[in-house]
Amino acid sequence: MSDLKRGLSEAVGAAFADLGLPAELARVTASDRPDLADFQSNGALAAAKRVGKNPREIATAVAGRLGADSRLAAVEVAGPGFINMKVTDGALSARATEIAADPRLGAEPVAVPRRVLIDYAGPNVAKPMHVGHLRSSIIGESLKRLYRFRGDTVLGDAHFGDWGYQMGLLIGAVTDERPAIGAVVEAANAAGVPPADISAFEAVSLADLDRLYPEAAARGKADTDYRDRARKITAALQAKQAGYYALWERFRDVTRVALERDFHALGVDFDLWKGESDVEDLIDPMVAELDAKGLLIDDQGARIIRVAREGDKRELPPLLVVSSEGSAMYGTTDLATILDRKQSFDPERVIYCVDQRQADHFEIVFRAAYLAGYAQEGQLEHVGFGTMNGADGKPFKTREGGVLKLGDMIEMTREKARERLHEVGLGESLPPAEFEAIAGKVAVAALKFADLQNFRGTSYVFDLDRFTSFEGKTGPYLLYQAVRVKSLLRRAADEGVAAGPVAVIKPAERDLVLTLDAFNSALVEAYDRCAPNAVAEHAYRLSQAFSKFYAACPILSAEPAVRASRLTLAATALAQLEQALDVLGIGVPERM
RNA sequence: GCGCCCUUAGCUCAACCGGAUAGAGCACCUGCCUUCUAAGCAGGCGGUUGCAGGUUCGAGUCCUGCAGGGCGCGCCA
């Protein structure tokens, strides 16, 4: 079951092959000139260039061979050699009926499913998430759903930043501030067994950690004695000394509870909560192995892997595996994580959904991984994204100039969603719990759609008023459209009206079916380019096409056969819209 | 200094391998609710795609240079 676009591509490709031209040039796309055609192929232009013939002649010959295709109502050659195709109402009706019956709503799965791991969000112990985590979470979640929907076996990993020097700093700061905790930790360290009673640890909250960490980090920079002490604690923690390790577990657990609350509110979830600590034990053997492979080079007291390649425009720095002080670095952990993933899941593709600014870092780590044989060239991909900016065009800050916590941003958006709902008097008759659930969905839709409608690589401006508006190209608008159809379908069910085969009559119906048919190519494009904005764009177009259809074509009051056809169209548009929104990580309420 | 990215309508953003008349939304203007949710629909206004060259039948897209903005450049993560 293929979409019209692909079906026509095959037909045009066959015509090309008949003429001795490369069939792969025969790509059919939605027409740029809907006034002239439904679909077009520019292949004759490309073929003409390749074989040195007149493009119009080729186009005319191809058009002649397409004339017999029963799906086509008209084939014309236009301009320098465009092949314009108009499909019959019958072909559209058949395609619509097909999509309506398809549990995948017209989307084809990938030909060869792969094992894919998506590394996103990247929260840290002791630090609440802030707006910087928003994009990674939203985009990564969407990619996970997109890949999964296309048929791959996908794991999402939060890649928890839970290890390293900052943990030593924090343990020092907490034990200093709370002697009772310090005493428990010291006793356990001395005894070499985990503390029996850790009730003292319960006094440590995420807010404490969040407050203490910046202070400790600043002091660590200024005060060498303090820094040395933190390093010693770090080393002891990494050696799993009982007291430190127990306190660290408390840090990790208290942080994770808060993180999961934020992720839940955002509609983001993970299959894996692997952290840096999980690969700690792999590091020493890995370093030994890298050494045995002859990849490690001593340089300025450190041990590095050189990753520069011929043809590089500039010299890429090496991967620093072991620092001059003997400790593992950021990149070392990343490399060990690649090894760990190979040994556990053996992914054929790993996507790192991380800020664009880390592009060099990942390039270095990936090259090292390829050299080490931990992954095959090209399997690792950094999917970078731009920043979310404030109205001033600079990375988003609160009015006070601070970093906005993700939880606060979500609550801010929910509050705005409640206001918006009240403004238009919606949902007020619903039970408070349902109203609150709707406000939550409106908020998530607002944030996610605002982000995902932009190509991930570019930065965008955060504007809550605009994002939460029910008018225009927004998440709430899409929810409204979906809910409106649900209401219609409920009414149809109440009246006992049944859906039936689609028969396209009006232009608005044609356009709606053409849009439904374009779902697959939107998914393919999003998949190939790791660009969920293609799906967001499709969801919006579908909503618009439905809305036009809804305004132009009465449904329940139409005569029975027309009514049955239109009900199928409405139900299919809704199902596909919900599926597209689901890929974006956006859920739709039943009513509003 | 070297490297990467960005600059498209008043504002916020699209534009798949180079293709026809560069698209949406917001804002502004004109119509349409006794009929399925008007949070909508129909229409209008708005562009020398930062600047200057080049390649091409054809350039927002490719190449060169310039201007402006952002980011990165081994012992933080």
Side-chain angles (χ1 to χ4, degrees), chain A residues 394-432:
Chain A
K394 302 209 164 129
F396 190 83
K397 291 270 166 37
T398 60
R399 236 167 265 158
E400 295 73 34
V403 176
L404 182 62
K405 288 177 188 155
L406 187 55
D408 293 344
M409 165 171 281
I410 295 166
E411 182 44 41
M412 222 165 84
T413 311
R414 273 174 179 271
E415 181 51 32
K416 200 80 189 176
R418 289 182 202 108
E419 269 175 41
R420 293 285 194 182
L421 289 165
H422 286 310
E423 262 173 38
V424 291
L426 250 188
E428 277 162 342
S429 59
L430 299 176

Side-chain angles (χ1 to χ4, degrees), chain A residues 176-422:
Chain A
D176 283 354
E177 188 177 82
R178 296 181 187 266
I181 291 176
V184 174
V185 167
E186 286 310 320
N189 281 343
V193 291
D197 177 11
I198 55 164
S199 54
F201 292 178
E202 282 165 22
V204 179
S205 69
L206 181 62
D208 291 328
L209 299 179
D210 186 34
R211 170 176 51 84
L212 286 170
Y213 178 67
E215 293 172 16
R219 198 169 157 200
K221 271 185 192 157
D223 180 342
T224 52
D225 288 346
Y226 190 83
R227 181 171 62 217
D228 287 346
R229 196 172 137 241
R231 286 204 167 131
K232 275 183 193 149
I233 297 174
T234 305
L237 170 67
Q238 295 188 341
K240 302 210 166 117
Q241 212 172 88
Y244 292 140
Y245 194 80
L247 183 56
W248 170 82
E249 285 182 307
R250 168 68 187 172
F251 292 174
R252 186 195 57 193
D253 295 345
V254 79
T255 305
R256 185 158 163 179
V257 168
L259 294 174
E260 289 190 332
R261 191 178 55 229
D262 288 347
F263 283 132
H264 179 74
L266 253 192
V268 170
D269 62 76
F270 300 95
D271 306 288
L272 299 173
W273 272 84
K274 289 278 212 166
E276 293 165 342
S277 61
D278 289 304
V279 299
E280 173 65 13
D281 294 342
L282 263 60
I283 287 179
D284 286 344
M286 179 183 81
V287 170
E289 188 193 41
L290 293 171
D291 199 17
K293 285 182 176 171
L295 291 170
L296 291 184
I297 294 167
D298 292 325
D299 190 78
Q300 297 169 39
R303 314 197 75 191
I304 62 170
I305 297 177
R306 292 201 195 281
V307 298
R309 289 179 180 178
E310 214 145 307
D312 285 351
K313 285 205 172 179
R314 83 195 153 94
E315 197 180 345
L316 209 57
L319 180 73
L320 215 162
V321 180
V322 183
S323 77
S324 51
E325 295 189 349
S327 53
M329 307 299 294
Y330 175 37
T332 318
T333 309
D334 280 348
L335 192 58
T337 302
I338 293 170
L339 177 59
D340 181 42
R341 287 171 176 165
K342 180 182 168 59
Q343 290 170 351
S344 53
F345 182 51
D346 192 21
E348 289 152 284
R349 182 170 161 84
V350 182
I351 290 171
Y352 292 78
C353 192
V354 183
D355 194 313
Q356 190 62 47
R357 287 177 289 203
Q358 307 223 21
D360 284 352
H361 167 73
F362 283 113
E363 181 62 24
I364 292 166
V365 172
F366 293 171
R367 287 186 185 190
Y370 299 145
L371 285 170
Y374 296 164
Q376 286 170 32
E377 184 81 34
Q379 284 186 330
L380 308 172
E381 185 176 2
H382 172 220
V383 168
F385 48 84
T387 54
M388 189 176 82
N389 296 332
D392 58 357
K394 302 209 164 129
F396 190 83
K397 291 270 166 37
T398 60
R399 236 167 265 158
E400 295 73 34
V403 176
L404 182 62
K405 288 177 188 155
L406 187 55
D408 293 344
M409 165 171 281
I410 295 166
E411 182 44 41
M412 222 165 84
T413 311
R414 273 174 179 271
E415 181 51 32
K416 200 80 189 176
R418 289 182 202 108
E419 269 175 41
R420 293 285 194 182
L421 289 165
H422 286 310

Side-chain angles (χ1 to χ4, degrees), chain A residues 49-131:
Chain A
K49 188 170 223 165
R50 201 173 288 189
V51 301
K53 286 174 76 175
N54 181 334
R56 274 199 75 102
E57 270 176 34
I58 295 175
T60 305
V62 171
R65 279 158 204 270
L66 289 173
D69 196 305
S70 63
R71 290 167 295 189
L72 296 174
V75 183
E76 281 166 6
V77 176
F82 300 110
I83 302 164
N84 283 337
M85 287 159 277
K86 220 169 167 65
V87 293
T88 63
D89 288 350
L92 283 177
S93 302
R95 176 61 183 149
T97 303
E98 195 176 72
I99 295 170
D102 180 4
R104 296 182 55 82
L105 288 319
E108 289 172 58
V110 289
V112 183
R114 293 179 295 184
R115 285 184 305 280
V116 180
L117 190 140
I118 303 183
D119 179 319
Y120 63 111
N124 293 304
V125 165
K127 288 184 264 187
M129 290 191 287
H130 52 80
V131 295

Side-chain angles (χ1 to χ4, degrees), chain A residues 131 134-135 386-397 409 446-468 473-474:
Chain A
V131 295
L134 182 69
R135 293 212 74 188
T387 54
M388 189 176 82
N389 296 332
D392 58 357
K394 302 209 164 129
F396 190 83
K397 291 270 166 37
M409 165 171 281
L447 282 177
K448 287 188 170 177
F449 191 77
D451 191 301
L452 294 173
Q453 70 170 295
N454 305 316
F455 178 69
R456 61 178 162 76
T458 57
S459 298
Y460 69 97
V461 174
F462 181 78
D463 180 343
L464 198 53
D465 286 327
R466 189 160 59 79
F467 295 175
T468 56
K473 197 171 184 175
T474 68

Side-chain angles (χ1 to χ4, degrees), chain A residues 536-557:
Chain A
E537 185 65 28
H538 178 78
Y540 183 68
R541 283 198 190 149
L542 180 59
S543 286
Q544 269 189 326
F546 176 79
S547 202
K548 287 173 188 183
F549 159 74
Y550 184 82
C553 304
I555 299 169
L556 297 177
S557 61

Side-chain angles (χ1 to χ4, degrees), chain A residues 33-47:
Chain A
R33 296 286 305 272
D35 52 321
L36 299 179
D38 300 324
F39 296 96
Q40 67 183 58
S41 174
N42 303 341
L45 296 163

